[in-house]
Amino acid sequence: MDTISIRAPSMPSGGTKAQRRVKTRLPAAIALLPTALIVLIVYIGCMLWTVRLSFTSSTLLPKLDWVGFAQYSRLFANDRFLTSASNIVIFGALFISGCLIIGFLLAVFIDQNIRGEGLFRTIFLYPYSMSFVVTGVAWQWFLNPGLGLQKLVRDMGFESFTFDWLVNQRMAIYTIVIAGLWHGAGLTMAILLAGLRGVDKDLWKAAKVDGIPTWRVYTSVVLPLLRPMVVTAVVLLTTGVVKLYDLVVAMTLGGPGIATEVPAKFVMDHLFERNNIALGTAAATIMLITVISILAPWVYVRYVRPQGRHA
Amino acid sequence: MSTVSVRDVTVAFEAVQVFDGLSLDIQEGEFIVLLGPSGCGKSTLLNAIAGLLDVAEGQIWINGKNVTWEEPKDRGIAMVFQSYALYPRMNVRENMSFGLKMAKTPRPEIEKRVAKAAELLQITPLLDRRPDQLSGGQRQRVAIGRALVRDAAVFLFDEPLSNLDAKLRNELRVEIKRLHARLGKTTMVYVTHDQIEAMTLADRIVVMKEQKIQQIGTPDEIYHRPANLFVAGFVGSPQMNFVKGRIENTGEGLSFLSGNRRLSLSGYPFVTAPSSGQDVVLGVRPEHLEISSTGIWPGFTVDIVEPMGADTVIWCSDALGSAQVRTSGSRRPTPGESLTLHVDPSQVSLFAADSGERL
Amino acid sequence: MSTVSVRDVTVAFEAVQVFDGLSLDIQEGEFIVLLGPSGCGKSTLLNAIAGLLDVAEGQIWINGKNVTWEEPKDRGIAMVFQSYALYPRMNVRENMSFGLKMAKTPRPEIEKRVAKAAELLQITPLLDRRPDQLSGGQRQRVAIGRALVRDAAVFLFDEPLSNLDAKLRNELRVEIKRLHARLGKTTMVYVTHDQIEAMTLADRIVVMKEQKIQQIGTPDEIYHRPANLFVAGFVGSPQMNFVKGRIENTGEGLSFLSGNRRLSLSGYPFVTAPSSGQDVVLGVRPEHLEISSTGIWPGFTVDIVEPMGADTVIWCSDALGSAQVRTSGSRRPTPGESLTLHVDPSQVSLFAADSGERL
Amino acid sequence: QKAEVLHWWTSAGESASVKVFADQFTKAGGTWVDNAIAGGANARTAGINRMVGGNPPTMMQFNTGKQFDELVSNDLVRDVEAQAKAGKWRDIMPKPIVDATVRDGKFFAVPVNIHGQNWMFYNTKVFADAGLEAPKTFPELIESGEKLKAKGIIPIALGGQPNWEHNLFRAVVVGHGGADMFRQLYGTRKPDVVKSPKFKETVELFGKMRGLVDPGSPGRNWNDATALVITNKAAMHFNGDWAKGEFIAAGQTAGKEYGCTVVGQEPKLVIGGDVFVLPATKDKTALATQDKLVEVLLDPTSQLEFNKKKGSIPVRMDVDVSSMDVCAQKSHAILKDPANQVESMEILSPPNFSGAMQDAVTQYWNNPNMPADAFIEKITSAMRDAG
Amino acid sequence: MSAAVMPQGRRPRHLTIGRIGVYAFLATAALFFLLPLWIMVVTSLKPMEEIRLGNILALPAAMTFEAWTKAWSSACTGLECNGISVGFWNSVRILIPSVILSIIAGAINGYALSFWRVKGANVMFGVLLLGAFIPYQVFLYPLVRIFSLTGIYNSLTCIVLVHVIFGLPTMTLLFRNYYAGLPIELFKAARIDGGGFWSIFFRVILPMSTPILVVATILQVTGIWNDFIFGLTFAGRENLPMTVQLNNIVNSTQGERAYNVDMAATMLAALVPLVVYFVSGRWFVRGIAAGAVKG
Ligand SMILES: Nc1ncnc2c1ncn2[C@@H]1O[C@H](COP(=O)(O)OP(=O)(O)OP(=O)(O)O)[C@@H](O)[C@H]1O
Ligand SMILES: Nc1ncnc2c1ncn2[C@@H]1O[C@H](COP(=O)(O)OP(=O)(O)OP(=O)(O)O)[C@@H](O)[C@H]1O
Ligand SMILES: [Mg+2]
Ligand SMILES: [Mg+2]
């Protein structure tokens, strides 16, 4: 073995460590630069700006005075905001779980090697492509006691049938959930179906030999395997929940009363219709803080902490 | 009486027809290995026995009962898969007891069986772990355990070791063999494309190719008396050496002739009598070629020497072709050296050049 | 002069530190195999040589140049991966010429080199196919071809054969060996955890465990004179038999004692002189255990017999433990039979029981 | 001379009316570049964003009120005082409209029409069949409403969205409580007004009307409510005069199939109107174009034709309206007396307050168990918050 | 041994209860999903008189396609009476560069994040991901200010840029997760072959991204095509997308309403995304399976 190798040129010929770092990572850094700028200017900038405005008394146009927490105390005394907050919780919980359940069921049933799979899949997916502005009207009609389902059933002779959720203060938020499910369940179905297709075929065989009923296989064996898909679906659905606006505007305009108000609509109305930028941004800030405090730990653990794979 | 009997079975995947009336009888307590290259239909046959796919024609009998249309769980079988197919998110105990629970087996009985299987497989300390907390070999054992608790008469293994590394494969192979011995009357059908596994495990090997059975026989029969060229070439590593030539009837009986090489076949146990002048292929296993200065085939040059620890494989060639010779670990010719080889006629195989069948 | 020289290298993955000042010198034209269990750092070492990860401390020299901070492409290396890592959307020709194109090699030169490599690897007819239209073996060859055209001084292989089935693995192994011979002065560093590959390919084997080098030596040295218990157990299949015991100094010299078994060590080439009474482990390879009625260790019972075609492995045991014996293919004791074993003292290895080091 | 005009008149009837202006402008030698964006908030947001962004349209529709104040105080719009002086706007336009558009003694917007917001449209056939007269006052209305309800007719067809509920409330306030109460509530916003017994009575009256709408009302579009009257399912419908468009589209004529009236002891008409503002600019040609636009908007012919299509009445009280429909003529007649002119909420209140009021009204309206006092309490806090 | 003569040959293919249940469930679900569509279709085929009668589920008595032609080419949206077709090409002009650029941006980010280690990149990505949960409305005003400062406010560039900005979080997430599933050896091989950041991306990584590109395309096409608020705020008068016309037809507060035209217009407007679904439905499912959702 050669132990007296020549150590003469002790300077590495390919440059120093620092040079190499720069050489290899500079292009990547440059490529990420636009995004970094956007994140800095648009995302972080707008967030800070929003937070700042919520401490002012801005109305139509922003002004940079300082009123402390006045807007926040107003906000938390505001019925509509409080209703909005509890509505979004109800809606979010029901919508996300509903989408997952319906999406999962649809995916499972479509996965039964059925005829016309493509047709069914498209039927379940198509609502996703439609703007809510008008589909909301269709739902509104269908759920209207005088026009839609209730009338239909009563006309068939069931005079006492009542389905008036849309016009019932306590139930109206659930009609929003129904329409939301109609819109979003298909996408969830597609994502989960993709997951189902990826499940190891041997697992099915093993379960069959073990004599496990199909539904048990789905619930006990397959579902746990779909976790990544479920996570993706939940992320997509959650962004939808936070931004929920169109659907409410199209179906109930927040009514009856303020029964179906939601935070995004609160923000929107105050920013653009009521010219109360300060209150609107205060509401937005609260949303922001809520979202961040719920999601930041997950984002951190899942995406920030793990380093890139090398080089 | 045979435990498993496959009778004239045909399987059809939509348009593609696999097996054209395939039959196979397996005796009680036998260890049968299905061996063959990828795509030859090993898994398909196993799945047909297990009832995991519908046969188009023919019947399948298990333990004297026609189970052609039975559900898999009612066939008295247990199965182990290449990918283990353990239920994720359930711990080992749950994995093993899930099937029994579904069959409404009483709790104490379940516990007894799981404990016994775990004992046997030495996975008792692992019972509360999840599959993802186990090593490959441990997972494999759990998969076997799950099959064991079913108390089945027939065990089906679909390439259960091929996901493991060489060392572990060796260890588990022996364990499976031990298990079979310990379980006594249990029939095992084992799919593999690894011939070492086939040779060491099987009571009988079924060699398949292109969805047809090529030969059924004990490992010795398969190794030493391959039924055709395919079996001869597929089984054994390094591969059997093949030499094309002709049968000649000289004065003192039949002999094989290839170029200037000649081999008297007086000691060869013919299955079919060859005709003189027939084109044949002579097969000699590398370990049956001896390096000997008194050999009958001189003039080989050493190309490569592969020391494999216990033995050494020597690749050598002459003008007519190349040959591999296997010698003990200590014999080390250097590349370029000249060799003379000796062949024992009682150890060779002869095949018809046209049909490939053994003569 | 050494082509590759790894000097005191430390690699750090965030908090985890792999290698603590590891050094290795590789001579020009050598075929070095890195052998070791999963996670021992083989790939990490290879990647450090290739420049695919940054070393925290130490230097890497290739061809007398300190390349510690060079780009991978400028190190004069070529690399072949376990998963082939062929560019899926390029055909074979494009796969092979990509690197040259990146280096702005003139077109005719690229074509010449690709044609030459394709010729060498017999993949000329495949040049216009996409990777997904190739079989596993063909893909592997393309991957090697891609490395070949780089005209590199050092070839790095990271488990290039482990995705292939046994038969193909054997064939390609030989091809790589041939290639090395044909390329002359090319240095090859080859990672594997398959010892057959290691034994047959290597000029020198580097056995690693837990990110430390255990032994560097020729295959013979590694196989016959393992430096410690780990190497002894890791290399060789079936595994070396280990017997715990003690050194005794009887009148006629040192001998090994385990229960009622005794072995005179007069012929044993000690590395370190043992002290009398020292606890040791005796290692005997299965092929060095002979079945002989005149053997020195009687009283073994046959457990399992594994015929492997060319040879047979016999698992037997006595009250003190079990042993594996490897005999020729024709020897077939039946389970339950009684055996007497003979050991040749010049073929055994002795290890200190505490440190595991060879004595 | 190219003029880009931003507005939110997008329905068929509205489009036809804009076309009058556009045609007139074209006749006058200009080029009208139309930029219609549905929804006042959308359009205003787009317009403000463009002003802020330095790329404003030549002229844009706007609302008067607080929002308008900010435009003026930020110098985003130019004044048209010169044209107003020349055209004697102060003389020919109703005072509420003038007040709404004048800041610091200068006109900063061009009013183009007058909308009455508290009209009650009713189905003549339904009333005739029931042997009833159209009610004159709100107590009367509730009485006949009950009768109609007993006959299976929907007494009041209401678009059950917060803004229409609020509109109904305002009709009740001005009709029952009177013009001063309306002005104090929406204009000066002194809590005293809501403490008065008269206000409570008004609120309770409004509360009683909850029983006169059908259960399907919540969420309904106003058009669907109008359709109920058109198809003889409902008797009455409160709305601005723009609702005439739906009747016309269904082929019905004012005074025949349907009638229009203002309910209340004295018929006070809440008026607002559409105005255009001219974003400030230094560009000479743009200024000239803006001048010409103003001229065209207030030209008597354009005024008449525009308002016929729009359903409103000309902002110039000096235009002859005899060629217009009976509702418009009635409107004109009422407004002849300045005492009958009541400024609309949009003129009186900042959007912040009207929004809060709307929230309060919709909660009261949709919760039959909510007592009048709770509602009044909400109004009080809305007043406090709006400052 | 063959004592009991048992069934032989093909298993009778009877329709089991389970099978019927499967189809029953799917049919019911399909009904639920189709209901609003049914209402929209029949409404769009009715004249307004019939719609006012309120039989929303009934088939039209006098079927007419007038609403469809009107919605497409002659409905008034302000002064212009050219239906929603006016904005069609604007939408296309916005859609194509926005989809392409946002996908490229997402792909580059995903690539840089999962193959190259850049300091702070993960933190940046984390913030970006959180940004996906903020209501867009909050961004409108400051963005207007920023864009007018840079002088591109109200132009095609502006609207495209906005779509790219707001597509970044999802696109980056999608590609990052997909690339995390690709074998790292490919990247290493390319590094040894001397590929730099860009050449590896364009020549090696991008050609392997088809499935995820399809998924990204579907998500972006749907999102951008249906966008209204950004188009309105940032596109400028010349470039208003189709949804603005749709909204003009559908959403006027005080004008009368032609529901049949509204419905027809909505369905017409949804055609482009629908076509994209039909064409790439198979890829959609496959693409997600290929790692888009590794989590
Ligand atoms: N679902 C299927 N549809 C069509 N052909 C199939 C199907 N499954 C298997 N085949 C075909 O049947 C033949 C046998 O396949 P099988 O899986 O039994 O092979 P195998 O011997 O198990 O191979 P391997 O060693 O690769 O597992 C193959 O030619 C295969 O192409
Ligand atoms: N990116 C990483 N981050 C942290 N630790 C790592 C990383 N890559 C490798 N390691 C650790 O470094 C050690 C060596 O890994 P390496 O991949 O070199 O093993 P190997 O010998 O190639 O194993 P195998 O045979 O499984 O390929 C392992 O313990 C592993 O856990
Ligand atoms: Mg198989
Ligand atoms: Mg490795």
Side-chain angles (χ1 to χ4, degrees), chain A residues 59-61 74 79-80 137 140-141 144-146 166-167 169 251-253 255-258 270 272-276, chain D residues 41 45 48 67 70 74 76 161-162 215-216 218-221 224 351-352 355-356 358-359 362-363 366-367 378 385:
Chain A
T59 50
L60 173 69
L61 295 172
R74 255 192 227 183
D79 282 353
R80 188 175 147 183
V137 172
Q140 193 188 323
W141 288 355
N144 187 301
L166 186 70
V167 300
Q169 293 224 52
M251 275 184 62
T252 63
L253 267 178
I258 53 168
H270 282 84
F272 300 114
E273 218 151 325
R274 302 201 175 163
N275 303 317
N276 197 341
Chain D
T45 307
I48 292 172
Q67 209 173 13
E70 289 210 29
N74 283 286
L76 290 170
Q161 295 167 348
R220 179 188 285 152
N221 286 320
D224 297 325
N352 194 9
Q358 177 174 311
D359 289 347
T362 188
Q363 288 181 74
N366 284 286
N367 183 356
K378 279 194 191 303
D385 282 350

Side-chain angles (χ1 to χ4, degrees), chain D residues 4 7 9-15 18-19 22 32-39 42 49-50 52-53 55 164 221-224 227 230-231 233 242 245-246 249-250 310, chain E residues 48-49 52-54 70 76-81 140-141 144-145 148 153-154 228-229 232-233 236-238 240 244 247-259:
Chain D
E4 189 198 339
H7 59 91
W9 289 327
T10 55
S11 75
E14 291 167 340
S15 302
V18 186
K19 194 158 184 314
W32 177 284
V33 180
D34 196 61
N35 188 359
I37 296 166
N42 285 332
N49 282 338
R50 284 182 56 180
V52 171
N55 173 26
W164 303 121
N221 286 320
W222 72 266
N223 314 66
D224 297 325
I230 293 173
T231 54
K233 285 182 187 137
W242 52 81
E246 284 284 326
K310 185 73 173 56
Chain E
M48 273 312 291
E49 297 85 65
R52 282 197 196 93
L53 295 176
K70 198 166 170 209
C76 290
T77 64
L79 196 54
E80 277 147 38
C81 292
L140 289 184
Y141 190 84
V144 168
R145 298 301 287 259
S148 23
Y153 179 59
N154 264 347
F228 164 72
I229 188 87
L232 183 61
T233 314
R237 211 197 82 84
E238 273 69 50
L240 288 180
V244 173
N247 191 61
N248 283 353
I249 289 177
V250 166
N251 233 3
S252 77
T253 9
Q254 293 184 351
E256 67 284 1
R257 266 194 202 192
Y259 285 120

